[in-house]
Amino acid sequence: MTDSKYFTTTKKGEIFELKAELNSDKKEKKKEAVKKVIASMTVGKDVSALFPDVVNCMQTDNLELKKLVYLYLMNYAKSQPDMAIMAVNTFVKDCEDPNPLIRALAVRTMGCIRVDKITEYLCEPLRKCLKDEDPYVRKTAAVCVAKLHDINAQLVEDQGFLDTLKDLISDSNPMVVANAVAALSEIAESHPNSNLLDLNPQTINKLLTALNECTEWGQIFILDCLANYMPRDDRESQSICERVTPRLSHANSAVVLSAVKVLMKFMEMLPKDLDYYGTLLKKLAPPLVTLLSAEPELQYVALRNINLIVQKRPEILKHEMKVFFVKYNDPIYVKLEKLDIMIRLASQANIAQVLAELKEYATEVDVDFVRKAVRAIGRCAIKVEQSAERCVSTLLDLIQTKVNYVVQEAIVVIKDIFRKYPNKYESVIATLCENLDSLDEPEARAAMIWIVGEYAERIDNADELLESFLEGFHDESTQVQLQLLTAIVKLFLKKPTETQELVQQVLSLATQDSDNPDLRDRGYIYWRLLSTDPVAAKEVVLAEKPLISEETDLIEPTLLEELICHIGTLASVYHKPPSAFVEGSRGVQHKRIPARAGSGESAESSDVGQSGPSEAPPAVIPSQGDLLGDLLNLDLAPPTATVPSVQPSMQMGAMDLLGGGLDSLLGGDIGGSPSMGAGLGVAPAAMPTALGIAPAVGGVGMPTGSYVAPKTVWLPAMKAKGLEISGTFARRGGIIQMDLTLTNKAMSVMTDFAIQFNRNSFGLAPAGPLQVLTPLSPNQTIDVSLPLSTSGPVMKMEPLNNLQVAVKNNIDVFYFSCQYPLSLIFVEDGKMERQVFLATWKDIPNDNEAQFQIKDIHLNSDAASNKLQGSNIFTIAKRTVEGQDMLYQSVKLTNGIWVLAEMRIQTGNPNYTLSIKCRAPEVCQFVFLCYELVLKN
Amino acid sequence: MIGGLFIYNHKGEVLISRVYRDDIGRNAVDAFRVNVIHARQQVRSPVTNFARTSFFHVKRSNIWLAAVTKQNVNAAMVFEFLYKMCDVMTAYFSKISEENIKNNFVLIYELLDEILDFGYPQNSETGALKTFITQQGIKSQHHTKEEQSQITSQVTGQIGWRREGIKYRRNELFLDVLESVNLLMSPQGQVLSAHVSGRVVMKSYLSGMPECKFGMNDKIVIDKQGKGGTTDDSGKSGKQSIAIDDCTFHQCVRLSKFDSERSISFIPPDGEYELMRYRTTKDIILPFRVIPLVREVGRTKLEVKVVIKSNFKPSLLAQKIEVRIPTPLNTSGVQVICMKGKAKYKASENAIVWKIKRMAGMKESQISAEIELLPTNDKKKWARPPISMNFEVPFAPSGLKVRYLKVFEPKLNYSDHDVIKWVRYIGRSGIYETRC
């Protein structure tokens, strides 16, 4: 029997023919016809016109035919919802069939038919199937709940399917458990805050038991679910790890990687001095190495993950360098990834071997691979000082090959080596200069020009070399133009006598003939500098450059932590958080690694999550130097191809500086040139801190003053025998004031005003008497400001910011209550030290974190942080990741409570996400209200 | 989870298209064709993302299998599933080819419906699948109630890989230790990297639900036993034991038991399956040593001399020996002289291929060749790919020895002694390269 013939029918009138066949009396003919329909569907033909005819074939006892009809239904039901109803009866009937395979088939298919009307009919059969006696039906029904939830979430909740699904976690059959876990995990993802999965030690225990018994796929579902659990303490963490480690010997790589994920995450909680911690570290290496003998596609996934693991815990694989050596027949994607890991693992101990390998690779065929290998040699030189000399000589050998792209790549990395080891390898410059003509890539040209400019005094014909570049100035890329400008200015400062003409030429090319504002601006700066104060010019242009760091393209710690929580998944392959490539709400929650139990800490506070880096992070992103260089004299791209994502925002900062400097310069203030020099001089000091968490740009701005809400009526005249009190609260220069407006709406004069507060949450009390000096005559209104102190008696109020006030006058005593914004008690010295912030953030248990959405704010992050600062909400640091600004803020309350916040602002999204952490979690809600109040006004 | 699964032929025509999730549309089918299959060389990664849709692909001969998703799925799982899918298809209709796929498309749809539900992989053991998904179409009406529940309990059960009630007149076991030895050697004869990746493949024809226990000369186990036993004994066996870097097991093996006691116990699937894989890097017996000598004589001539030495017991015979010596692209003519076997220059493969049928241990053989080159103005030097070698030897280069395989089936009346067991060792070359 061959089915391939079904693919070949292309005649006209085919549909009619099929229609006739479908309605044939002969079973065989019917089946043949349905097969033809499916084949047409596969190749993309529209056979939806046959819907009623195909559905008519559904009532059959031939299971194969039934499955084919179902397949058709799943594809076309949505386009023919009314017709699809015709199928319902058969489904419902099939769900009662004595054969479990048919019951399961019916419930499985029904869930795939995304027609609202059908889902209503699905509920009853599904309910039965979830409790079916046969595990095969139950495991199918469990997945069906997830399907239904995808169509109509509300229906699933209303029908109580979620509870039934939760019950299935305790099912006796491991496969049912696994599917229930998969379904629940998926549903939970779309309800980030629901406690749907409700992982507690009992359920975890059930999952771990099922783990030993279910299929390989089920093990993956369970392990992926386990990874989301936060163990209560290190002991629980260890016991889970112990039960997960056997999975490392599974033949299925995905099981292994998911187990690695759980272990990597949970071992974070184990004390480092624990014996078990060391044992675990040792156990992780062999399975990771074994993954490299899997099929190439899996190797690729494994290598991308190993890249993360090596960054997080270099100790695991530090002795395994050899397994990452590239094999001649590896696919290119495996080769490139291996190379990346080799560089990360390179150390003094193995550098000789690594270099020998890299040299070998540099002679291979694939251009990308060869380039990367050459670059890697440069990275080794920078990373392992002892090897630098050997690396340089290897690079020189490679330059001798005269292979164009090898030469260019080598020159780019040699430039970096010069920067790392100044005055050491300049003897090779002559060799480099020989290859000047063959350079046609901007990066290589720029690198060469930089070298010539930097070492102009040692190159006899530096002026000729640079002049030769100048001829085609306007055809060069910006990178090269900027570099050339700087190099010639350097040359001029070193050899002023011979090169005056050259410098004038380049300055006029840059300032007069160029349309590029960057180039023009830099040209002007140099011009002014040179003409006003050559000494300052020398100090600025020939300033000592900061050293470049040895580690490049490290993933930023927060992202790394998140990616570790996503080991095995696409996020770990792309090295991007799921939000970067997943649409909608699914999977965009940021996952976190649990924190290690502190030595002296009790068990409760140990399940702390953290967003900040866990340990002192390595100095990341060496581009700081280059950023500075961009301003001063280096236009070279960062030493590696991967540009850290933080860079754009920092570059902006640099621009601002430049702009400011230029203004003062062009403002005609000639005496201002020292200040200009200072401005630039400051930059190197300021820039290095712009890493990781950058100092808030907003902090520079002027505070705009705290927001004061308009007065509202607190005590209506009706209730107070004619006295109406409206008021508001304000904090002005550290003094809390209650602004009151008293109106006499009665017929008689009011006197003898006094005010008293009930005990309240923050001890607010009048700091003086209510100053109503003159009697209040009918229809008269007066405004009073009552200073408040926070030294009164304290009692927790509900709500927290409730204030009960008693006002007395000559007529009676009146009571009212009002609520003050919490910002009233935000003190002026609420700016926390950055280190303290990080530590505190880590220290506060995760349970205390609250998340809020602030909607419809159309401010950029700087404006927002300025506004907030007016209300004593201080931005400590700002970080930009993938177009998302993260502001880290602190607030201190009058009673010494610190509130920490992280505000995330996505460019173009008017909704901010605010995470608040505080040891007294009940204040979070009120702090959020303050944010909203301040930002919206 | 997996949103859809497509199978294409080499031209990019869809042969199978099954969509599991609503977020995957028909355009995904075309996106993959246009961006990956037709882009050929540009796509350099097995995972690609276009328009927020991720595509995973593997290729089997000229058939493309692609899984599609819009979510953050477990990538390792998707590839494992794709491989599994290939295994299942192979088990049903042997070779994966366009013709076979077209001929079996109804079956493939049926399989895809069964082993992937809403994008979640389900039991995909062919042993279990074959009991209820058959090429003839299932005869549901013929199944008795017992049979049905037997099927479902097997598909969902703890021992999903074996059904009950298997009976053989002769209980037999075949155990193959298949190793591939990998080597990368420098021109000077220094071992840059060497490892053995081995597999223990078993064919079991056993009745009932037998409990098996497998033992080998694993250093950890032997050392542990040595402590308990006499000193004499441990000294003897200590020499023969091997250090296993890592091993992975078929899902039938009780991993927690291996983790705690390092014993390998399991209820085997029926028929052929891979019990375990392992990797060793220490004390590997390298069956052959290749000594290359390449000399460039002027710009138009190369002289190559390669010596191979066999390094194992003289009583053993290596087979299917093949040495592949790469030649530059601008080779115009080659003259070869070899002491043993046959050597030929294959212009299409840019290599001299030297074949020797058999070679005993502790022997040596040599080939020398003169390669004439066409003068070129290509500046780039010839990359000199490594000399590679293929062979097969009747021993395990890792030194692994099977110590026992015990079978217990308490319910049926056959004992361990009644089972006929066969053990065979085969060592093959993996990537066995010597740089020159």
Side-chain angles (χ1 to χ4, degrees):
Chain A
M1 181 189 76
T2 62
D3 287 345
S4 53
K5 59 175 184 278
Y6 303 118
F7 282 88
T8 52
T9 49
T10 47
K11 293 176 290 191
K12 278 186 181 171
E14 182 193 355
I15 296 278
F16 289 104
E17 224 167 83
L18 280 173
K19 211 178 180 83
E21 285 175 36
L22 283 169
N23 291 315
S24 153
D25 296 333
K26 285 179 193 146
K27 274 189 183 171
E28 259 322 292
K29 205 157 193 183
K30 258 190 184 176
K31 197 163 122 188
E32 297 289 288
V34 176
K35 280 189 183 179
K36 278 185 204 162
V37 172
I38 301 290
S40 308
M41 194 174 85
T42 299
V43 295
K45 275 184 217 158
D46 183 13
V47 283
S48 61
L50 296 167
F51 198 90
D53 310 282
V54 177
V55 172
N56 269 339
C57 305
M58 193 171 162
Q59 292 259 14
T60 170
D61 48 5
N62 183 318
L63 200 56
E64 190 188 10
L65 180 58
K66 196 176 217 108
K67 283 182 177 175
L68 288 173
V69 175
Y70 281 180
L71 189 64
Y72 178 90
L73 263 176
M74 287 187 264
N75 255 303
Y76 287 112
K78 223 171 133 188
S79 55
Q80 311 250 352
D82 294 331
M83 301 268 226
I85 294 291
M86 290 163 47
V88 165
N89 266 336
T90 320
F91 279 127
V92 175
K93 216 177 95 203
D94 279 358
C95 284
E96 306 270 344
D97 197 279
N99 184 343
L101 292 171
I102 294 193
R103 292 203 295 277
L105 177 66
V107 78
R108 185 165 68 214
T109 313
M110 253 179 121
C112 296
I113 297 180
R114 305 177 59 92
V115 174
D116 275 342
K117 282 183 196 155
I118 287 205
T119 51
E120 287 166 29
Y121 292 99
L122 176 60
C123 291
E124 277 323 299
L126 177 58
R127 198 184 314 282
K128 264 187 214 152
C129 289
L130 280 167
K131 303 228 156 96
D132 200 284
E133 53 168 19
D134 194 295
Y136 183 75
V137 181
R138 290 202 300 279
K139 71 110 185 163
T140 312
V143 176
C144 187
V145 175
K147 293 180 188 168
L148 189 58
H149 186 271
D150 194 40
I151 306 170
N152 189 343
Q154 195 57 45
L155 186 71
V156 169
E157 276 173 52
D158 294 347
Q159 296 279 334
F161 286 138
L162 294 183
D163 293 324
T164 324
L165 203 52
K166 276 190 209 165
D167 293 342
L168 289 184
I169 290 190
S170 315
D171 199 282
S172 58
N173 184 295
M175 196 154 167
V176 177
V177 178
N179 275 4
V181 166
L184 276 173
S185 302
E186 175 165 346
I187 295 171
E189 260 184 32
S190 50
H191 295 280
N193 293 322
S194 74
N195 200 17
L196 198 57
L197 255 167
D198 187 29
L199 294 175
N200 55 45
Q202 287 76 40
T203 43
I204 292 294
N205 198 27
K206 282 176 197 156
L207 294 186
L208 286 169
T209 311
L211 187 61
N212 288 327
E213 294 164 350
C214 62
T215 65
E216 46 196 329
W217 314 116
Q219 297 184 18
I220 299 169
F221 306 154
I222 291 177
L223 287 168
D224 285 351
C225 172
L226 268 180
N228 291 326
Y229 177 63
M230 290 280 181
R232 287 163 309 167
D233 51 38
D234 49 333
R235 217 171 306 151
E236 190 186 8
S237 188
Q238 178 175 345
S239 88
I240 296 177
C241 287
E242 277 166 356
R243 293 176 70 177
V244 166
T245 32
R247 298 298 118 197
L248 294 175
S249 308
H250 202 286
N252 187 313
S253 308
V255 174
V256 176
L257 265 180
S258 291
V260 168
K261 164 165 60 191
V262 174
L263 297 174
M264 282 291 287
K265 214 180 148 185
F266 287 10
M267 75 189 301
E268 197 75 13
M269 278 184 75
L270 302 175
K272 278 196 164 172
D273 46 359
L274 196 71
D275 285 347
Y276 181 68
Y277 179 83
T279 319
L280 199 52
L281 272 183
K282 271 190 217 122
K283 277 195 175 168
L284 276 171
L288 287 174
V289 173
T290 297
L291 292 176
L292 298 182
S293 38
E295 289 84 345
E297 291 88 0
L298 266 175
Q299 277 187 50
Y300 173 73
V301 173
L303 285 165
R304 294 293 285 172
N305 278 287
I306 288 172
N307 197 327
L308 298 173
I309 293 167
V310 165
Q311 288 184 58
K312 179 77 188 157
R313 298 198 174 279
E315 64 270 34
I316 295 179
L317 289 167
K318 66 178 173 204
H319 299 305
E320 303 288 351
M321 172 60 96
K322 275 190 179 179
V323 299
F324 298 102
F325 285 176
V326 170
K327 293 182 190 137
Y328 190 73
N329 291 324
D330 280 336
I332 182 68
Y333 51 83
V334 169
K335 283 185 177 175
L336 292 173
E337 294 305 319
K338 280 188 174 172
L339 202 49
D340 255 346
I341 294 167
M342 280 174 68
I343 305 170
R344 291 210 194 288
L345 291 178
S347 68
Q348 201 182 329
N350 55 27
I351 195 73
Q353 271 183 318
V354 172
L355 261 182
E357 281 295 305
L358 291 176
K359 199 175 169 183
E360 200 67 42
Y361 305 161
T363 60
E364 280 212 32
V365 194
D366 191 283
V367 178
D368 285 350
F369 181 60
V370 169
R371 281 174 177 276
K372 203 165 181 171
V374 175
R375 246 168 222 247
I377 296 173
R379 296 313 308 165
C380 288
I382 288 163
K383 199 173 170 187
V384 185
E385 188 163 357
Q386 292 79 357
S387 75
E389 196 155 343
R390 230 175 322 165
C391 294
V392 172
S393 76
T394 308
L395 287 169
L396 285 178
D397 286 353
L398 289 172
I399 288 177
Q400 296 307 338
T401 64
K402 303 281 179 196
V403 178
N404 191 279
Y405 53 86
V406 174
V407 173
Q408 310 212 35
E409 210 62 48
I411 286 182
V412 172
V413 295
I414 287 181
K415 179 259 308 174
D416 285 341
I417 297 176
F418 281 172
R419 287 206 48 202
K420 171 81 182 180
Y421 309 108
N423 304 318
K424 228 171 156 186
Y425 299 110
E426 283 75 10
S427 53
V428 308
I429 290 175
T431 322
L432 301 185
C433 290
E434 286 165 19
N435 291 286
L436 214 61
D437 299 334
S438 63
L439 308 180
D440 53 9
E441 289 162 22
E443 206 184 346
R445 284 175 85 84
M448 195 62 221
I449 294 170
W450 181 85
I451 293 171
V452 174
E454 188 67 16
Y455 300 102
E457 68 274 24
R458 307 185 196 193
I459 305 171
D460 294 335
N461 59 343
D463 48 343
E464 282 169 37
L465 292 175
L466 293 175
E467 200 171 358
S468 70
F469 281 103
L470 210 53
E471 281 160 23
F473 188 76
H474 290 297
D475 301 328
E476 299 283 2
S477 73
T478 313
Q479 191 184 11
V480 179
Q481 289 177 333
L482 285 165
Q483 198 52 68
L484 195 52
L485 170 61
T486 305
I488 292 178
V489 172
K490 279 191 206 164
L491 173 68
F492 171 71
L493 289 167
K494 288 173 180 176
K495 297 180 182 172
T497 44
E498 310 126 62
T499 54
Q500 199 148 10
E501 204 176 313
L502 193 60
V503 84
Q504 267 164 2
Q505 204 182 337
V506 78
L507 285 174
S508 86
L509 276 171
T511 53
Q512 286 160 25
D513 302 342
S514 170
D515 295 333
N516 185 321
D518 289 351
L519 188 61
R520 265 200 326 252
D521 285 356
R522 185 180 296 182
Y524 278 123
I525 292 183
Y526 285 146
W527 203 321
R528 300 274 165 161
L529 264 174
L530 292 173
S531 57
T532 52
D533 188 352
V535 180
K538 218 164 187 168
E539 271 170 30
V540 171
V541 178
L542 301 180
E544 205 163 299
K545 277 154 289 294
L547 287 182
I548 51 176
S549 116
E550 41 200 65
E551 286 293 348
T552 44
D553 64 353
L554 283 179
I555 293 173
E556 182 244 339
T558 331
L559 180 60
L560 182 60
E561 303 250 310
E562 190 179 347
L563 292 179
I564 290 287
C565 300
H566 287 292
I567 284 178
T569 70
L570 267 178
S572 70
V573 173
Y574 295 147
H575 289 184
K576 284 179 187 162
S579 53
F581 60 92
V582 174
E583 270 169 3
S585 60
R586 248 186 206 145
V588 292
Q589 304 140 271
H590 292 272
K591 294 193 175 172
R592 286 165 174 179
I593 287 187
R596 192 179 308 283
S599 45
E601 269 177 338
S602 65
E604 304 110 67
S605 59
S606 58
D607 56 336
V608 175
Q610 59 187 59
S611 73
S614 66
E615 287 144 41
V620 209
I621 314 154
S623 53
Q624 44 171 318
D626 298 277
L627 179 67
L628 176 63
D630 186 52
L631 185 64
L632 290 179
N633 51 17
L634 289 166
D635 288 294
L636 308 160
T640 44
T642 347
V643 180
S645 54
V646 212
Q647 220 193 358
S649 77
M650 304 203 318
Q651 219 136 26
M652 287 302 291
M655 288 307 187
D656 280 357
L657 257 167
L658 188 68
L662 201 63
D663 281 347
S664 73
L665 199 71
L666 296 181
D669 179 16
I670 302 295
S673 60
S675 81
M676 167 66 194
L680 288 172
V682 164
M687 276 314 170
T689 53
L691 281 195
I693 296 180
V697 181
V700 182
M702 288 302 290
T704 48
S706 94
Y707 164 73
V708 178
K711 287 179 179 169
T712 48
V713 176
W714 284 339
L715 183 69
M718 300 265 291
K719 288 191 175 166
K721 300 185 177 165
L723 174 66
E724 187 187 83
I725 301 180
S726 55
T728 184
F729 294 93
R731 186 179 178 100
R732 299 188 179 97
I735 295 163
I736 307 171
Q737 283 176 322
M738 188 179 192
D739 293 343
L740 295 165
T741 302
L742 309 179
T743 309
N744 183 351
K745 293 199 169 169
M747 305 302 287
S748 55
V749 176
M750 293 177 183
T751 55
D752 302 333
F753 285 96
I755 192 163
Q756 215 166 18
F757 294 172
N758 196 357
R759 295 177 187 197
N760 54 69
S761 314
F762 296 95
L764 285 175
L770 189 62
Q771 301 277 338
V772 187
L773 300 173
T774 50
L776 199 58
S777 34
N779 279 327
Q780 195 194 347
T781 297
I782 59 160
D783 290 332
V784 229
S785 246
L786 178 72
L788 305 181
S789 75
T790 52
S791 52
V794 177
M795 183 177 80
K796 195 175 165 192
M797 298 297 292
E798 191 54 46
L800 206 65
N801 60 342
N802 198 13
L803 183 65
Q804 294 178 337
V805 184
V807 172
K808 177 192 98 90
N809 63 6
N810 58 335
I811 301 165
D812 205 345
V813 183
F814 311 105
Y815 302 94
F816 65 90
S817 66
C818 53
Q819 291 175 8
Y820 50 91
L822 211 67
S823 55
L824 203 61
I825 52 160
F826 293 175
V827 298
E828 278 66 23
D829 62 344
K831 187 159 182 168
M832 205 177 229
E833 284 291 312
R834 293 207 351 246
Q835 274 71 18
V836 182
F837 182 92
L838 278 179
T840 317
W841 184 277
K842 264 194 275 178
D843 216 34
I844 300 178
N846 236 12
D847 293 345
N848 285 12
E849 182 175 340
Q851 258 207 11
F852 304 96
Q853 284 277 331
I854 311 177
K855 296 206 166 96
D856 281 331
I857 306 291
H858 299 278
L859 294 173
N860 67 17
S861 57
D862 292 348
S865 96
N866 259 342
K867 247 187 158 173
L868 291 168
Q869 185 162 358
S871 295
N872 293 342
I873 299 172
F874 297 96
T875 304
I876 297 168
K878 173 179 158 182
R879 212 154 53 82
T880 306
V881 179
E882 308 207 349
Q884 185 169 252
D885 285 343
M886 318 250 232
L887 297 180
Y888 297 94
Q889 300 171 322
S890 72
V891 164
K892 189 182 169 190
L893 307 185
T894 47
N895 56 1
I897 290 180
W898 284 95
V899 181
L900 278 58
E902 178 201 72
M903 186 156 77
R904 268 177 270 156
I905 303 173
Q906 191 97 43
T907 325
N909 183 352
N911 299 343
Y912 296 3
T913 312
L914 184 69
S915 311
I916 302 180
K917 263 192 164 185
C918 178
R919 290 197 197 278
E922 52 272 39
V923 306
C924 295
Q925 171 72 22
F926 299 96
V927 174
F928 156 65
L929 290 174
C930 293
Y931 266 86
E932 210 172 36
L933 207 64
V934 173
L935 289 173
K936 291 204 167 164
N937 292 289
Chain B
M1 281 307 115
I2 298 172
L5 202 136
F6 310 128
I7 302 180
Y8 301 84
N9 65 9
H10 66 288
K11 286 185 259 175
E13 292 166 352
V14 203
L15 304 178
I16 296 287
S17 132
R18 176 72 160 92
V19 172
Y20 294 94
R21 296 270 173 155
D22 204 36
D23 53 5
I24 301 299
R26 182 86 203 173
N27 51 355
V29 183
D30 303 326
F32 182 77
R33 173 182 28 245
V34 172
N35 292 308
V36 180
I37 301 182
H38 291 170
R40 296 279 148 117
Q41 300 309 314
Q42 271 89 37
V43 176
R44 313 188 79 174
S45 143
V47 187
T48 42
N49 191 306
F50 315 106
R52 291 200 156 225
T53 309
S54 297
F55 296 84
F56 300 76
H57 71 265
V58 299
K59 245 187 121 178
R60 287 291 181 269
S61 62
N62 53 12
I63 295 295
W64 299 75
L65 273 88
V68 192
T69 183
K70 284 206 166 186
Q71 299 174 23
N72 181 32
V73 297
N74 188 321
M77 186 187 79
V78 176
F79 280 124
E80 283 284 4
F81 177 79
L82 288 175
Y83 301 145
K84 193 67 166 199
M85 181 70 206
C86 293
D87 289 349
V88 171
M89 289 197 288
T90 315
Y92 269 96
F93 47 81
S94 69
K95 202 171 164 270
I96 296 178
S97 64
E98 176 168 356
E99 203 191 341
N100 276 344
I101 287 174
K102 280 184 170 174
N103 280 338
N104 293 285
F105 84 98
V106 171
L107 169 76
I108 295 173
Y109 276 125
E110 205 177 328
L111 286 169
L112 281 176
D113 195 45
E114 187 59 44
I115 61 179
L116 208 52
D117 190 4
F118 202 38
Y120 290 105
Q122 304 291 309
N123 191 339
S124 42
E125 286 298 311
T126 32
L129 289 171
K130 280 192 168 171
T131 59
F132 68 108
I133 294 182
T134 56
Q135 243 166 323
Q136 284 75 40
I138 194 166
K139 293 147 247 155
S140 61
Q141 51 275 54
H142 305 316
H143 279 292
T144 63
K145 201 160 170 16
E146 289 77 58
E147 276 171 332
Q148 285 163 9
S149 71
Q150 199 184 29
I151 289 172
T152 58
S153 79
Q154 193 199 340
V155 175
T156 60
Q158 292 184 20
I159 307 163
W161 53 86
R162 189 183 181 92
R163 67 188 167 89
E164 292 207 38
I166 298 173
K167 278 222 165 71
Y168 288 102
R169 271 176 51 208
R170 222 160 98 111
N171 288 301
E172 227 173 346
L173 258 181
F174 297 86
L175 206 58
D176 282 350
V177 176
L178 307 172
E179 294 196 338
S180 77
V181 51
N182 298 276
L183 169 75
L184 184 61
M185 195 175 253
S186 76
Q188 292 76 32
Q190 185 194 2
V191 176
L192 296 173
S193 74
H195 75 271
V196 167
S197 57
R199 306 187 300 145
V200 177
V201 175
M202 212 172 139
K203 264 186 230 156
S204 69
Y205 303 105
L206 300 170
S207 310
M209 293 297 252
E211 177 74 45
C212 297
K213 211 171 163 191
F214 175 69
M216 54 190 177
N217 56 340
D218 175 2
K219 193 163 188 294
I220 297 176
V221 177
I222 306 264
D223 287 356
K224 220 196 284 177
Q225 286 173 348
K227 271 177 212 161
T230 60
T231 45
D232 198 40
D233 200 38
S234 71
K236 223 194 238 169
S237 53
K239 267 183 225 156
Q240 293 162 351
S241 65
I242 60 159
I244 292 175
D245 288 24
D246 189 37
C247 45
T248 59
F249 296 99
H250 185 271
Q251 59 169 323
C252 66
V253 175
R254 295 185 186 87
L255 294 181
S256 38
K257 207 155 180 189
F258 178 74
D259 193 57
S260 56
E261 303 161 25
R262 219 167 158 92
S263 74
I264 303 165
S265 63
F266 54 97
I267 294 172
D270 194 39
E272 185 172 340
Y273 67 100
E274 188 180 288
L275 177 67
M276 73 177 283
R277 282 183 186 221
Y278 56 92
R279 183 167 48 82
T280 72
T281 46
K282 286 195 193 71
D283 304 324
I284 293 170
I285 308 156
L286 295 169
F288 285 95
R289 165 95 201 269
V290 177
I291 304 153
L293 200 75
V294 180
R295 209 159 64 92
E296 287 178 40
V297 188
R299 294 200 56 183
T300 56
K301 205 170 152 191
L302 274 180
E303 278 180 12
V304 180
K305 198 176 112 181
V306 176
V307 179
I308 59 169
K309 285 184 180 169
S310 59
N311 174 35
F312 45 86
K313 270 192 231 158
S315 58
L316 297 174
L317 273 182
Q319 284 182 303
K320 300 177 190 166
I321 301 150
E322 184 186 291
V323 180
R324 190 170 278 267
I325 304 159
T327 54
L329 296 172
N330 54 338
T331 302
S332 59
V334 176
Q335 286 175 315
V336 253
I337 311 161
C338 56
M339 289 159 55
K340 220 176 167 215
K342 280 179 190 163
K344 223 178 177 180
Y345 166 62
K346 294 199 172 167
S348 58
E349 296 167 39
N350 289 310
I352 301 167
V353 180
W354 176 25
K355 287 184 179 171
I356 304 170
K357 276 197 182 127
R358 258 174 235 101
M359 187 164 169
M362 306 316 272
K363 289 263 170 23
E364 192 177 309
S365 192
Q366 178 181 327
I367 183 172
S368 40
E370 275 187 21
I371 302 170
E372 306 277 343
L373 302 175
L374 290 169
T376 55
N377 46 8
D378 194 0
K379 268 191 200 165
K380 203 180 170 218
K381 258 176 53 186
W382 176 48
R384 281 204 193 174
I387 295 175
S388 59
M389 206 181 160
N390 288 316
F391 53 80
E392 202 179 288
V393 288
F395 61 91
S398 70
L400 182 132
K401 289 267 183 317
V402 176
R403 290 174 58 223
Y404 56 81
L405 200 144
K406 292 177 192 151
V407 182
F408 311 94
E409 170 49 297
K411 283 186 198 152
L412 297 173
N413 55 350
Y414 71 94
S415 75
D416 186 39
H417 299 292
D418 303 330
V419 180
I420 306 156
K421 300 169 192 167
W422 307 85
V423 182
R424 170 165 75 159
Y425 299 91
I426 301 172
R428 291 198 183 100
S429 51
I431 295 165
Y432 204 83
E433 292 177 338
T434 306
R435 289 181 178 156
C436 56

